[in-house]
Amino acid sequence: TSCHAGGAPTSVAGFATDMATLKDLLVAKGAYNATTNAFTSNTVPIKVAQAAWNYALLLEDRSNGVHNPTYAKALLKNSIEALK
């Protein structure tokens, strides 16, 4: 928070909701285990694997979308659409 004293930019609004949506879709597709909060070793279609990669990238960044919010939101939106 010290590097973002003014708070998160408005462009990250809805980030947590979109992350939860993507997580739920990954669980439904068998790529993520909600109980253990870990990726599964299941074989999944490439679009699911790509969405899982994007989820892991955003999760491990730990900035909640603050670091490059436009890119973070685009990854989320594209990943969600690919899994619907």
Side-chain angles (χ1 to χ4, degrees):
T1 57
S2 62
C3 64
H4 300 284
T10 57
S11 56
V12 297
F15 181 85
T17 301
D18 288 343
M19 282 292 282
T21 299
L22 181 54
K23 178 181 175 181
D24 291 343
L25 289 167
L26 291 170
V27 168
K29 300 288 183 180
Y32 197 80
N33 184 321
T35 304
T36 61
N37 281 319
F39 292 95
T40 67
S41 59
N42 296 338
T43 300
V44 296
I46 190 69
K47 285 187 178 187
V48 177
Q50 290 168 330
W53 179 269
N54 291 343
Y55 181 78
L57 174 74
L58 295 169
L59 187 66
E60 291 302 318
D61 174 57
R62 302 187 195 281
S63 76
N64 295 320
V66 172
H67 300 152
N68 202 344
T70 303
Y71 183 64
K73 288 294 280 188
L75 282 178
L76 280 170
K77 294 295 182 187
N78 291 338
S79 296
I80 289 167
E81 285 303 312
L83 297 183
K84 285 188 173 181

